[in-house]
Amino acid sequence: ALTMTPAAVTRVKDILTQNKAEGLKISLKTRGCNGLTYVLDYCNKAEKFDEVVEQDGVKIFIDSKALMTIIGTEMDFVTNKLASEFVFNNPNVTGTCGCGESFSV
C-alpha cells in the first residue's frame, strides 16, 4: 500500500524514538483549496480495519478510510533551505493546489 524511501525510514525512526511511539498513523482530512491533505499522528495500536505497513523496522498505520487513496504512494523525507518535510509521491493524485498543501484524486 505504501513504500518509504531510506530518508523517510530514518526520519520516522528518529521521531518514534524521541516520542516513544510504536508507529505513525496516516489519515486524510478534508482541507485546503483542493480537497484532501495528509495527517500524521503517533500511534501505538492499530484501529479496527487499519492497514499496517512495516518496512525496515518502521510501522506505518494507514487509516482504513485513506487506504484506497494511498495505495501505490511513496513516502519521502526531504530537506531544503526552507523546510524539512515528508513528501508523498502519490500516483492517484489528479490535482494539487498551488501551495502544495492539498490534493484531489
Side-chain angles (χ1 to χ4, degrees):
L2 175 93
T3 58
M4 291 177 280
T5 64
V9 169
T10 299
R11 183 63 181 138
V12 171
K13 280 182 181 178
D14 291 346
I15 290 170
L16 296 178
T17 300
Q18 292 171 11
N19 293 283
K20 296 177 177 51
E22 186 177 334
L24 282 183
K25 182 165 186 170
I26 300 175
S27 56
L28 297 176
K29 192 175 218 176
T30 303
R31 185 168 63 196
C33 49
N34 225 358
L36 298 170
T37 189
Y38 297 102
V39 178
L40 296 174
D41 290 306
Y42 302 112
C43 187
N44 287 310
K45 185 178 123 186
E47 301 283 325
K48 190 174 183 181
F49 303 119
D50 283 355
E51 179 80 14
V52 181
V53 176
E54 290 190 56
Q55 181 182 325
D56 301 324
V58 170
K59 279 189 185 178
I60 301 291
F61 301 88
I62 302 173
D63 183 86
S64 60
K65 294 180 215 117
L67 184 58
M68 296 309 288
T69 304
I70 290 177
I71 286 179
T73 298
E74 177 191 65
M75 182 177 169
D76 194 6
F77 185 75
V78 296
T79 301
N80 60 39
K81 291 180 182 179
L82 297 175
S84 296
E85 62 187 347
F86 287 106
V87 174
F88 295 88
N89 300 309
N90 187 335
N92 305 306
V93 170
T94 58
T96 58
C97 65
C99 66
E101 278 292 311
S102 63
F103 64 94
S104 58
V105 289

